[in-house]
Amino acid sequence: MLTTIFSGEFLRRLEALCIQSIKEFRSVRKGDRIAKISGTSIEFADYRQYFPGDEIRHIDWNIYGRTERLYLKTFKEDIDFSTHVLVDASKSMLFPEGDGKFDYARKLALALSYVGLSTHSSVKVAAFSDLETSGSLSDTSFINGTPFFSKRSGIFSISDYLFGITPGGGTDFPGYLTRYTSLTKGHRGVFIVLSDFLFDPAGRKRGLNLLRYLNYDVKVIQVLGPHEMDPFRGISSAEVVDVETGERRLISDTRAIRKEYSVALEEHIKDLREFCKANRILYTLALTSREFESFVLRELPRIGIIK
Amino acid sequence: MGLLNLAGLAYLLSIPVLIYIYHFSRKRKRVEISSIIPWKRLRESVVRSSLFRADILFYLQLALLSLLVLAACRPYWRHASGGTAGRHVVLVLDRSASMQTVEGRKSRFELARERALAQLRHLGSRDRVTLIAAGARPELLASGEQNRAKVEALIEQLRPADTPDRMAPALQSALGLLREGEKAKRRNPAGGAVPEESSEVSLSIFTDRSAESLGLGKLNDWGSIHVERVGAPKDNTALTSISVYKDLFSPRQEVSAYVTVDNFSEKSFSGSLSASAKGKRIASREIALPPGGSITTKIGEELPEGLLDIALDPPDALAVDNKGYALLPGNRTTKVALFTKDYRLAAQLRDLAKAIPHLELDIKSPGSYRVTDMAPYTVSIFHACEPKLEPPTSLLLICPPPQSRIVRVTGNCASGVRFLDWDEAHPVGENLRGLQNVPLGGSRIIEIPSWARPVAISATTGGDIPLVLCGECRGRKVTVMSFDISSMELTKSDSLPILLLLLNILKWLGEPEQNQIATGEAYSALVPEAANEKIPESGTKETGDGFTVINPIGQEERLSFREGEPLTVNATDYAGMYLVSEGFTQRAFVANLSSSAESDLREDRHGEDRVVAEEVVSMSLPASPPSDWSSMLLWCAALLLLLEWIVFSFTRPQRVAEEEERGE
């Protein structure tokens, strides 16, 4: 299944990468990552002066023999942090038709999960929409997401989960995050949100702020399609309908309208980008027209989501 | 540019239909989008303005429709050659009595005046106006006037007269102008500057009559003639005739006034007829008339001398025909002076005068004639003689002398003269049955002078010779009998026709001047030429002082006249009494509307007052009617249709591709 989605070469290159976090997390479970904080791993970190109360067994006697001063030898800590990958599964991810925003997003989620699992990080993937809150979804497992996987084999479950989702409903971003974070207490770590973010700007800010307050290392990938950026291709005069809210509007393709729309969308994107920049949230725009592997292997490392 | 068919503008409604089709009926795709948020940020004004998208086909169709609408309107250039001359607008304003008819709060004339002023306000600065007031006579008030304010002032000053309308002469004048304009246009069909006289001429007639009754028929829809009709049919009752009768030869000389009242309505009339003299009502009687009925009734028994006001009550829409005026003569004696040497004639006429009341006859010898003594007389009879200086009286010459200055005697006819024919229409020729049987014996052969006409003639082997001539010569009535009646015994039955002829002559010569006319008619009175003046070469000479006329509305007018010619008053536009002062002599006459045609407000009057239809047709169906561009526009429309088809053919593949791309 996975090889039908990604090539073997691509998977091998993913294995050489890991999810990057700009925050330090203390965890009950040791992981494969070396934290900057001193710990109990075998990897040497530094020397420091001995102070009363320090473990005597960490004193480096060789140095004492040469200098007659007591120095402690410190080692780096092996840590483990959770990686949360959250995919927008609202109906808007299916539109404009042909853009393949949701496909692109779940492939990104799968790739990032694979990167996480390759470094034995615990990875959880979930999808959000307001189907549950609106009562139109009976299968709540879709909303709850996958369990935390830390072994590479978990990728298959994640793949099944992601490719089993049928997007629908609207978006209740802050509401969903409130419930999600309450369920995953104690699994601090990196929180990657994959969405088109074409919903209420105030709502997305509330959601992202919630993650910040809970000390997640939040990373935002906004997925948009080429038709989203230029919706007038093939439209001369049309009635546009919001697939989530049902709101509609008559429009015509004129130079003035094109210009106005372009400015409006740019402002919407800019608003999110500026918010992320101001709050130390990594942000990138993923256009579905861009070649997928190139985006994962070049763009994501470039901005620091993975390394 | 003008439009011959303004109704064609109604087709402009097709343009909104085209826009509707483009705006609402256009197939709109329903596009599902991920979020309305960016779309919500679009400004409403930009969205609205962009919803109606017109492509080149729309503009071509719009142009096509506009061309078709314009073609339906039949446009034409007012100035075909683009010259600088303005239009020449001829306004004919009916100011006849019927225009006084009240329509609501305004009279028909006021309505017509408002419409004329409204048309005037729409004229350009280079347009010229000719204003003709059509009353009893056409009055040219302004001719080719460019000063619009002046014409407006003239129209404002106009008021309706009490006269019947005589539209035909006014229309003839106006049509003459129209014809001249048309001729000039034909001379200069296109190109070059247009001289002033060749500018387009249009005629507007403001009247209460229909175009048909004016003789214009259906031609009023032709571009250059426009009949603006005011008023609606109305019921009316009117005094249509007032006659005063007085028998000069009756012993009492009673005066009778006969009044005719016509009911021009479909309803019965019930009212009263009253007569007043010097402000006092002297007679009154009730009148009842069936619909369309008429009655002639005698009013009053012993009517006094002077002005008689007759009024019909109750008042109706047209007031002027509810009043009438009559001047009643007093009793008088006709004094006749006979100059003759023949005692038999003198004796016969003396006996005759004794038998006729109020006739006094003075018999004098011709030698005793003094012109200064003749003032008291009404008629002077000269038998076989003639005065050197003509008396200021009516004159009867019986068998004038061969050297007569009044008539030219060319010879004598000794015998066999009989009456052959006489003019029964002349007052002198009335009731002369059997005159042809009276043997006359001899007769003078008289050359008919220019001022006289033969009332009775005889045929001889030498041709017709006049036996009785009547006319007006140098301000007096003159009758010439070319035969001698002295040898006849007038009291015998054989000579009875001659006696009647003589009485007719005396009556005609002695009857007072006419003092009652219809409004609009000319009044004329004879003013005998002063006897001591020599007759000028031209026959007449203008008097220095002239005479003064005061009309019923108090306007005074000074007029001149020539001695020897009748004193004439033409301006008799208002009903009532006119005072004419000439030196120490004062005359009066009255004018009444008395026109059935004018008072009948029920429907169109198809009287004789019409312009000659043939003339109008020949003039107003021009060989070169205004050339409208409708045919040219239709050709343009056809070309545009072809162009549209070509554009459609070229753009179709692109459209199909676009539609396929959109999945429509």
Side-chain angles (χ1 to χ4, degrees):
Chain A
M1 174 74 183
L2 195 60
T3 50
T4 59
I5 301 169
F6 300 134
S7 65
E9 175 61 25
F10 179 63
L11 289 174
R12 271 195 298 280
R13 295 183 72 175
L14 286 182
E15 287 167 8
L17 299 171
C18 67
I19 304 290
Q20 190 171 5
S21 171
I22 57 171
K23 290 186 178 179
E24 302 288 348
F25 299 99
R26 288 194 179 276
S27 175
V28 291
R29 194 166 65 88
K30 287 196 179 292
D32 289 347
R33 293 164 205 279
I34 307 299
K36 286 180 180 174
I37 58 173
S38 58
T40 56
S41 69
I42 57 169
E43 190 173 341
F44 172 75
D46 203 355
Y47 290 100
R48 74 171 171 86
Q49 200 171 2
Y50 171 79
F51 291 102
D54 287 336
E55 286 274 353
I56 296 172
R57 59 187 174 133
H58 291 147
I59 293 173
D60 190 335
W61 298 109
N62 290 331
I63 293 175
Y64 178 76
R66 287 199 294 270
T67 63
E68 291 185 350
R69 287 183 182 176
L70 292 174
Y71 283 94
L72 292 184
K73 196 176 184 181
T74 61
F75 299 90
K76 290 185 178 177
E77 176 75 356
D78 289 339
I79 59 164
D80 174 39
F81 59 80
S82 300
T83 301
H84 303 263
V85 180
L86 192 63
V87 181
D88 183 354
S90 65
K91 199 174 180 183
S92 69
M93 291 296 283
L94 292 177
F95 293 92
E97 288 172 337
D99 273 1
K101 286 194 304 187
F102 185 69
D103 275 343
Y104 202 91
R106 64 183 167 191
K107 280 169 73 180
L108 266 177
L110 191 61
L112 290 169
S113 300
Y114 189 75
V115 171
L117 291 173
S118 298
T119 54
H120 302 291
S121 175
S122 63
V123 177
K124 179 180 172 73
V125 177
F128 71 94
S129 77
D130 71 349
L131 279 177
E132 187 194 22
T133 51
S134 64
S136 59
L137 188 74
S138 55
D139 183 7
T140 53
S141 61
F142 157 62
I143 295 299
N144 291 337
T146 63
F148 283 97
F149 294 104
S150 53
K151 291 183 179 175
R152 195 176 291 177
S153 59
I155 194 68
F156 297 107
S157 300
I158 292 172
S159 172
D160 290 344
Y161 170 77
L162 284 173
F163 285 90
I165 296 172
T166 304
T171 310
D172 180 16
F173 187 55
Y176 177 81
L177 287 179
T178 306
R179 282 183 286 112
Y180 179 87
T181 51
S182 66
L183 289 173
T184 58
K185 241 176 215 174
H187 288 81
R188 299 284 187 269
V190 175
F191 207 114
I192 303 171
V193 184
L194 297 160
S195 170
D196 56 6
F197 286 98
L198 291 175
F199 47 82
D200 177 27
R204 71 188 181 196
K205 286 178 184 174
R206 273 206 313 277
L208 294 175
N209 278 333
L210 175 67
L211 295 176
R212 281 178 56 232
Y213 298 148
L214 295 174
N215 203 24
Y216 285 102
D217 181 9
V218 186
K219 301 178 193 306
V220 164
I221 301 176
Q222 187 174 19
V223 183
L224 293 175
H227 283 91
E228 201 101 62
M229 305 304 284
D230 181 14
F232 297 97
R233 280 186 295 182
I235 297 176
S236 61
S237 177
E239 184 184 45
V240 292
V241 184
D242 188 324
V243 290
E244 293 184 9
T245 63
E247 285 183 77
R248 50 191 66 204
R249 192 146 201 215
L250 287 175
I251 56 106
S252 276
D253 178 18
T254 63
R255 185 174 294 179
I257 291 283
R258 273 174 181 266
K259 191 176 174 185
E260 290 258 332
Y261 177 83
S262 174
V263 170
L265 185 62
E266 186 56 43
E267 280 183 5
H268 190 74
I269 295 170
K270 187 182 172 186
D271 183 51
L272 177 62
R273 189 167 53 225
E274 295 292 323
F275 175 80
C276 292
K277 188 178 176 184
N279 294 286
R280 298 186 65 231
I281 297 172
L282 281 180
Y283 167 86
T284 188
L285 175 65
L287 283 175
T288 57
S289 56
R290 185 167 180 180
E291 205 269 319
F292 179 77
E293 291 185 4
S294 163
F295 179 75
V296 174
L297 298 176
R298 293 183 184 172
E299 181 65 13
L300 294 184
R302 188 185 67 77
I303 60 168
I305 291 179
I306 55 177
K307 64 177 180 180
Chain B
M1 193 185 82
L3 299 175
L4 290 176
N5 178 26
L6 279 176
L9 290 175
Y11 291 109
L12 282 175
L13 290 174
S14 59
I15 290 176
V17 172
L18 177 70
I19 294 172
Y20 175 85
I21 290 169
Y22 264 78
H23 188 56
F24 293 104
S25 304
R26 210 172 178 191
K27 198 160 68 175
R28 276 214 175 84
K29 194 178 175 183
R30 186 172 181 271
V31 178
E32 290 182 316
I33 53 164
S34 52
S35 173
I36 201 83
I37 289 173
W39 300 98
K40 271 185 170 175
R41 294 194 179 189
L42 304 184
R43 279 176 297 163
E44 191 63 30
S45 58
V46 177
V47 174
R48 277 186 188 282
S49 63
S50 67
L51 282 179
F52 177 72
R53 292 201 335 136
D55 54 12
I56 187 168
L57 278 176
F58 170 79
Y59 288 118
L60 284 173
Q61 284 161 8
L62 191 65
L64 181 66
L65 270 180
S66 304
L67 277 178
L68 289 174
V69 170
L70 202 58
C73 293
R74 300 178 61 202
Y76 67 97
W77 281 121
R78 287 195 186 282
H79 310 296
S81 55
T84 55
R87 282 179 298 163
H88 186 180
V89 180
V90 183
L91 304 178
V92 177
L93 204 57
D94 184 357
R95 59 186 291 257
S96 64
S98 63
M99 294 293 279
Q100 297 179 36
T101 307
V102 178
E103 299 281 345
R105 290 184 177 180
K106 294 180 178 178
S107 69
R108 289 180 178 180
F109 187 80
E110 286 168 332
L111 293 173
R113 181 160 55 192
E114 283 174 4
R115 293 189 193 180
L117 289 171
Q119 182 171 346
L120 211 56
R121 281 191 280 273
H122 283 95
L123 297 182
S125 58
R126 293 198 301 267
D127 293 339
R128 295 176 296 127
V129 181
T130 292
L131 177 63
I132 300 174
R137 296 163 303 283
E139 289 177 77
L140 185 65
L141 301 177
S143 175
E145 184 61 53
Q146 280 190 305
N147 185 347
R148 210 164 56 190
K150 186 178 173 185
V151 181
E152 281 180 1
L154 284 169
I155 293 177
E156 292 283 3
Q157 288 166 9
L158 267 180
R159 54 171 291 179
D162 298 339
T163 60
D165 66 14
R166 304 268 191 275
M167 290 293 284
L171 290 183
Q172 299 287 6
S173 308
L175 292 172
L177 287 169
L178 210 59
R179 193 183 308 116
E180 288 304 314
E182 185 61 31
K183 280 181 185 171
K185 210 168 10 175
R186 288 177 194 174
R187 281 197 301 271
N188 188 11
V194 179
E196 193 171 85
E197 67 272 14
S198 72
S199 60
E200 182 187 337
V201 184
S202 64
L203 168 61
S204 294
I205 304 158
F206 301 90
T207 179
D208 56 352
R209 292 175 55 174
S210 69
E212 286 79 7
S213 76
L214 294 172
L216 296 172
K218 295 178 180 175
L219 295 170
N220 62 331
D221 59 356
W222 187 62
S224 297
I225 303 177
H226 177 64
V227 179
E228 188 89 33
R229 191 179 182 187
V230 292
K234 285 202 164 33
D235 292 337
N236 187 33
T237 309
L239 300 174
T240 52
S241 169
I242 298 170
S243 303
V244 175
Y245 177 74
K246 180 180 182 181
D247 185 357
L248 284 176
F249 300 132
S250 72
R252 293 179 61 193
Q253 291 198 354
E254 286 174 350
V255 180
S256 307
Y258 294 90
V259 179
T260 303
V261 181
D262 279 288
N263 180 17
F264 301 107
S265 89
E266 305 306 321
K267 293 183 286 190
S268 298
F269 171 79
S270 177
S272 65
L273 192 65
S274 60
S276 306
K278 295 176 183 172
K280 285 185 180 177
R281 177 173 287 196
I282 56 172
S284 174
R285 62 169 297 174
E286 298 299 316
I287 289 195
L289 286 173
S294 175
I295 186 171
T296 300
T297 179
K298 182 180 175 184
I299 187 161
E301 293 300 330
E302 293 181 0
L303 298 175
E305 183 181 359
L307 181 66
L308 183 71
D309 288 334
I310 301 164
L312 181 66
D313 288 317
D316 49 28
L318 185 57
V320 66
D321 61 6
N322 289 351
K323 286 191 172 183
Y325 305 92
L327 271 178
L328 305 177
N331 289 339
R332 68 170 197 164
T333 301
T334 304
K335 294 191 75 174
V336 179
L338 171 63
F339 296 90
T340 181
K341 292 178 180 174
D342 192 310
Y343 69 94
R344 286 178 300 171
L345 177 66
Q348 287 194 82
L349 290 185
R350 186 182 295 116
D351 293 342
L352 187 66
K354 282 180 184 173
I356 299 173
H358 311 292
L359 181 70
E360 286 183 7
L361 179 68
D362 289 340
I363 299 170
K364 298 182 179 183
S365 68
S368 66
Y369 173 76
R370 300 281 184 279
V371 69
T372 51
D373 298 338
M374 300 305 291
Y377 295 99
T378 310
V379 179
S380 302
I381 304 174
F382 290 87
H383 171 242
C385 62
E386 191 180 86
K388 286 183 180 176
L389 296 174
E390 291 163 20
T393 64
S394 298
L395 195 58
L396 170 60
L397 298 179
I398 300 172
C399 193
Q403 304 81 20
S404 171
R405 292 172 61 245
I406 299 172
V407 291
R408 186 163 171 262
V409 179
T410 58
N412 291 309
C413 190
S415 62
V417 178
R418 282 179 179 272
F419 285 96
L420 178 68
D421 192 17
W422 59 94
D423 182 1
E424 290 185 337
H426 196 279
V428 173
E430 289 176 348
N431 307 315
L432 300 180
R433 192 176 300 168
L435 190 64
Q436 71 276 17
N437 299 325
V438 179
L440 294 179
S443 169
R444 302 277 192 214
I445 299 173
I446 298 172
E447 191 177 295
I448 302 171
S450 59
W451 51 264
R453 66 166 177 159
V455 173
I457 58 170
S458 171
T460 65
T461 51
D464 294 350
I465 58 170
L467 295 178
V468 179
L469 293 170
C470 293
E472 292 167 359
C473 175
R474 293 197 282 272
R476 56 179 65 78
K477 290 179 182 175
V478 177
T479 300
V480 180
M481 296 173 72
S482 61
F483 55 93
D484 196 354
I485 58 170
S486 60
S487 59
M488 297 178 185
E489 291 191 27
L490 297 176
T491 52
K492 286 196 173 178
S493 60
D494 291 347
S495 303
L496 183 61
I498 296 295
L499 178 63
L500 290 175
L501 174 65
L502 188 62
L503 289 175
N504 281 348
I505 290 171
L506 287 175
K507 186 181 176 185
W508 180 65
L509 291 175
E511 73 182 0
E513 293 163 350
Q514 181 197 16
N515 59 14
Q516 185 173 322
I517 60 168
T519 49
E521 283 182 358
Y523 167 80
S524 66
L526 291 173
V527 180
E529 186 182 350
N532 55 353
E533 292 282 345
K534 285 185 180 177
I535 299 170
E537 292 288 326
S538 60
T540 58
K541 75 182 185 70
E542 197 165 322
T543 61
D545 297 334
F547 63 100
T548 305
V549 181
I550 301 173
N551 69 10
I553 60 172
Q555 292 172 337
E556 188 173 321
E557 190 179 12
R558 188 78 188 162
L559 299 171
S560 61
F561 73 104
R562 290 176 183 277
E563 277 192 4
E565 286 188 352
L567 175 152
T568 305
V569 179
N570 287 316
T572 57
D573 287 349
Y574 303 105
M577 186 168 75
Y578 290 74
L579 294 173
V580 181
S581 305
E582 184 255 322
F584 295 106
T585 310
Q586 281 216 335
R587 293 177 171 84
F589 67 92
V590 292
N592 292 306
L593 173 58
S594 303
S595 167
S596 299
E598 201 65 19
S599 297
D600 190 351
L601 307 175
R602 288 176 297 184
E603 51 195 19
D604 275 347
R605 303 188 294 274
H606 292 280
E608 294 176 355
D609 185 39
R610 298 155 65 95
V611 288
V612 181
E614 291 77 13
E615 187 179 355
V616 179
V617 169
S618 65
M619 185 278 308
S620 60
L621 293 179
S624 56
S627 54
D628 63 78
W629 321 335
S630 51
S631 56
M632 192 181 75
L633 290 172
L634 287 174
W635 277 110
C636 289
L639 284 174
L640 208 58
L641 193 63
L642 182 67
L643 180 65
E644 193 177 338
W645 181 79
I646 293 169
V647 170
F648 177 76
S649 302
F650 273 96
T651 56
R652 194 181 175 193
Q654 187 187 341
R655 283 164 176 271
V656 170
E658 280 180 9
E659 282 174 7
E660 281 175 358
E661 187 188 339
R662 290 179 212 148
E664 288 177 0

